[in-house]
Amino acid sequence: MAKKLDLERILKNQGFGARKLCRIMIINEEITVNGEMCDDPSAEFELENLKFTVKGEPWEYREKSYLMMHKPSNYECSHKTQHHPTIYSLLSHPLVERGVQCIGRLDEDTTGLILISDDGQFIHKMSSPKHKVPKIYEVTCKHPVSDDQIAHILQGVQLVDEDAPIAALHCTRVSDNVIHMTLAEGKYHQVKRMVAAISNRVEALKRIQIGELQLPQDLAVGKWRWLTAEDMLKLGVK
Ligand code: URA
């Protein structure tokens, strides 16, 4: 049988605040469900394909949240930031209320693709070293990148505090100073440390792909969108 829930609980589960607050919004006629206003907090609805609006803003019921963001520079990937605003301030408030987390962190000056979810299993799968989900970075270096430097990155570089040398899975030159580097791990400042180890320096860093999922050209800096079923397949999740 299709799963049903009362409207008050639906709104609470979806991140619209405590039950009391949700009840008040419902009674105040601020909610529509599947196109019709509902002022009864205990009215039950099937959750599948449920569409509702809260104060005119459209939402769909989602058991879990899976999204991608184009992270801007000068934003931090933690909830409690020190020097810059948090990337969570760029999300709709109900998502933050639901407790979404970003999957792996990008440095404050790194831009590009970041995944965000409130599904613990998904977060674990995408971030666990065991799964080795490859990530591609576009790296703008201070000095032109030589063939020897690329060969070195592919052979493996020794980083301070690491037991063994670490190699990129792939490394290709895009222009004199720009390379694309594919990494299987996500160690602290890994790209910057690897580039420093070949006597060069990162001037700009952008993550352009996770698994087979590319940062969409039309996702503007600072914007987010829901992951589609096709995106999930590209991440190796069915
Ligand atoms: N490697 C880095 O050095 N910084 C990032 O933000 C991501 C990978």
Side-chain angles (χ1 to χ4, degrees), residues 18-237:
R19 277 178 71 173
K20 195 170 163 193
L21 189 70
C22 295
R23 171 176 281 264
I24 292 170
M25 287 197 296
I26 298 166
I27 293 168
N28 282 348
E29 304 185 352
E30 291 177 315
I31 312 294
T32 70
V33 182
N34 297 331
E36 282 179 34
M37 194 275 289
C38 176
D39 62 1
D40 176 5
S42 56
E44 293 197 339
F45 295 94
E46 282 184 12
L47 301 179
E48 207 172 320
N49 297 323
L50 181 78
K51 291 185 172 47
F52 59 98
T53 66
V54 178
K55 299 183 182 174
E57 196 183 341
W59 289 88
E60 260 175 57
Y61 181 87
R62 290 173 200 262
E63 185 88 33
K64 297 282 179 200
S65 309
Y66 307 92
L67 26 137
M68 63 161 90
M69 179 187 281
H70 187 162
K71 180 192 173 292
S73 192
N74 297 322
Y75 276 78
E76 292 181 31
C77 285
S78 65
H79 281 281
K80 289 202 180 96
T81 58
Q82 291 190 318
H83 305 293
H84 296 286
T86 164
I87 59 163
Y88 298 106
S89 65
L90 300 168
L91 295 175
S92 299
H93 187 68
L95 291 171
V96 182
E97 189 78 14
R98 285 179 67 155
V100 294
Q101 304 290 336
C102 58
I103 304 176
R105 291 186 178 185
L106 293 175
D107 298 336
E108 66 191 35
D109 54 354
T110 301
T111 60
L113 182 60
I114 189 149
L115 303 176
I116 299 172
S117 179
D118 58 359
D119 179 347
Q121 274 186 342
F122 176 70
I123 295 174
H124 177 72
K125 172 150 195 214
M126 297 310 298
S127 52
S128 144
K130 213 174 78 193
H131 288 100
K132 287 197 188 320
V133 181
K135 290 157 194 101
I136 307 183
Y137 294 88
E138 184 170 274
V139 193
T140 306
C141 298
K142 184 171 167 74
H143 310 290
V145 186
S146 68
D147 289 346
D148 279 355
Q149 288 178 329
I150 290 184
H152 195 171
I153 277 188
L154 288 169
Q155 273 156 18
V157 294
Q158 184 62 52
L159 301 180
V160 179
D161 292 338
E162 295 298 335
D163 296 338
I166 300 183
L169 294 176
H170 302 283
C171 185
T172 50
R173 195 186 297 105
V174 180
S175 65
D176 286 354
N177 291 49
V178 180
I179 52 175
H180 282 179
M181 229 167 114
T182 308
L183 299 182
E185 315 85 352
K187 295 187 187 295
Y188 182 67
H189 289 334
Q190 188 173 340
V191 174
K192 290 175 185 165
R193 288 159 71 210
M194 287 178 77
V195 169
I198 56 160
S199 307
N200 210 320
R201 193 187 149 144
V202 173
E203 293 268 286
L205 185 56
K206 179 178 186 180
R207 184 155 67 191
I208 55 174
Q209 190 167 326
I210 299 175
E212 295 298 314
L213 179 65
Q214 293 182 343
L215 177 68
Q217 302 271 359
D218 59 356
L219 187 64
V221 180
K223 296 291 176 197
W224 65 272
R225 74 156 168 79
W226 300 104
L227 293 179
T228 63
E230 198 186 329
D231 295 334
M232 293 299 254
L233 280 179
K234 289 181 180 167
L235 293 170
V237 181

